[in-house]
Amino acid sequence: MPKHLRSLQEFTGDELLSLVRRAIEMKQERSEGVAHNQLAGKTVGLIFEKPSTRTRVSFESAMYGLGGQVIFLSGRDTQLARSEPLKDMSRVMSRYVDGMVVRTFGQNVVDELADYASVPVINALTDLHHPCQILSDIMTVVEEKGRIEDLHIVWLGDGNNMANSWIQAAAKIGFRLTLACPDKYGPDDNILALGQTEATKPITLINDPVEAVQTADVINVDVWASMGMENEQEERLKVFSPYQLNTALLDRAPAGAIVLHCLPAHREEEITDEVLESSRCVAFDQAENKMHIHKAILEKFLA
């Protein structure tokens, strides 16, 4: 049976950090002009029901950078929109490609494709998990701070799929995590409960953004209304406004705290232009690192 990347829950902390270390190594080798050709002759199918700029381009660049080929399939290019059984699609696609990278809505789509696939299935985003993004975020933290295990990571805002994957990463790797979310907008209850049970360091859910950042080493923010929540935009602007990462809030954090944002940003909503453009924000290094961590993932699962 092939190994899949459905979420971070199926991996050990050592396995996750090994991927991060390999991505850093491959990034360095790329800067030195070292050619990678581990996936020559192989093809990956990118099945994207949700549109994306960074995720698509970084996965395509990663695959090409490893000598492989990519077939991109949007939702309208597949039979998903016409209700073809996922198990049928998975078994057919497995005979054409060497791996599938899936960006979709429901985690059940990734899980059913993986259940019936004879090639690796990689979760490039669902409404419940965003494992590849969090791995590139951890890579950025390790580059900036030299480690992550003894750091305090803070999540501000919506307890969305990224928050869920941060919880799993904290439980597996063993770093302190504080999530500051409004009432009724916290992370998935089951994921939080399991993470707190498995964790060796505190995973805490609170409401107060000021309390959260006071001992932060890393402050991570994301948009308040993810794709598909556009009809909630006005209500969310009211609820989340106290969680905006602005200079006044950042000044309450230690001087060495860095800022992450997975982009695209809604400037002057969840983060101000001043903070995003400051030297403390590493969002563009974080964006670049998506490509390097995707190379490490593709190498591990497809080579």
Side-chain angles (χ1 to χ4, degrees), residues 23 48 108 124 129 144 149 156 172 180 188 207 297:
F48 278 32
N108 64 302
H129 299 292
E144 292 290 324
E149 294 89 335
L156 289 185
K172 297 295 180 182
D188 181 88
N207 295 130
I297 291 169

XYZ file of all heavy atoms in Angstrom, residues 23 48 108 124 129 144 149 156 172 180 188 207 297:
103
model
N 14.093 19.684 3.085
C 13.719 20.854 2.288
C 14.775 21.954 2.397
O 15.116 22.605 1.395
C 12.362 21.371 2.748
N -7.241 20.019 -8.423
C -7.563 21.208 -7.641
C -9.026 21.596 -7.838
O -9.394 22.165 -8.862
C -6.666 22.380 -8.063
C -5.290 22.363 -7.428
C -4.658 21.179 -7.129
C -4.642 23.547 -7.132
C -3.398 21.149 -6.552
C -3.379 23.549 -6.550
C -2.747 22.342 -6.256
N -13.065 14.218 3.409
C -13.532 12.915 2.941
C -13.092 12.643 1.500
O -12.914 11.482 1.100
C -15.054 12.836 3.037
C -15.741 13.833 2.111
O -15.502 15.042 2.211
N -16.565 13.348 1.207
N -3.152 18.755 -0.371
C -2.655 20.118 -0.575
C -3.597 21.159 0.013
O -3.338 22.352 -0.142
C -2.461 20.391 -2.072
N -7.729 20.250 7.101
C -6.276 20.166 7.280
C -5.543 20.952 6.191
O -6.025 21.058 5.052
C -5.799 18.708 7.206
C -6.374 17.812 8.262
N -6.062 17.929 9.595
C -7.249 16.774 8.167
C -6.711 17.002 10.282
N -7.444 16.291 9.437
N 14.696 30.719 10.530
C 14.829 31.997 11.223
C 15.383 31.852 12.632
O 16.155 32.687 13.102
C 13.467 32.697 11.280
C 12.943 33.169 9.944
C 13.743 34.329 9.380
O 14.193 35.179 10.178
O 13.924 34.375 8.153
N 11.556 23.341 18.644
C 11.072 22.536 19.764
C 10.844 23.326 21.051
O 9.940 23.012 21.824
C 12.048 21.376 20.035
C 12.122 20.346 18.912
C 13.170 20.698 17.862
O 13.498 21.898 17.718
O 13.659 19.765 17.210
N -3.220 33.520 15.731
C -4.218 34.553 15.985
C -5.340 34.466 14.958
O -5.071 34.424 13.752
C -3.601 35.958 15.876
C -2.644 36.459 16.941
C -2.283 37.914 16.647
C -3.247 36.332 18.328
N 3.008 16.507 17.833
C 3.991 15.538 17.336
C 5.425 15.987 17.626
O 6.266 15.192 18.032
C 3.811 15.354 15.828
C 2.457 14.784 15.422
C 2.285 13.369 15.940
C 0.920 12.803 15.542
N 0.709 11.453 16.057
N -5.276 31.954 19.870
C -6.155 33.009 20.348
C -7.246 33.215 19.305
O -6.998 33.761 18.230
C -5.382 34.297 20.578
N -11.020 22.720 15.385
C -11.847 21.522 15.500
C -11.714 20.922 16.913
O -10.603 20.684 17.389
C -11.395 20.500 14.448
C -12.222 19.239 14.488
O -13.252 19.199 13.809
O -11.812 18.301 15.206
N -8.967 33.469 24.317
C -9.632 34.497 23.518
C -8.783 35.759 23.354
O -8.973 36.516 22.403
C -10.961 34.912 24.165
C -11.973 33.795 24.205
O -12.561 33.526 25.251
N -12.195 33.125 23.094
N 8.580 16.728 -0.035
C 7.416 15.831 0.071
C 7.314 14.929 -1.156
O 7.132 13.711 -1.042
C 6.129 16.669 0.252
C 6.115 17.341 1.625
C 4.886 15.797 0.059
C 5.029 18.390 1.792
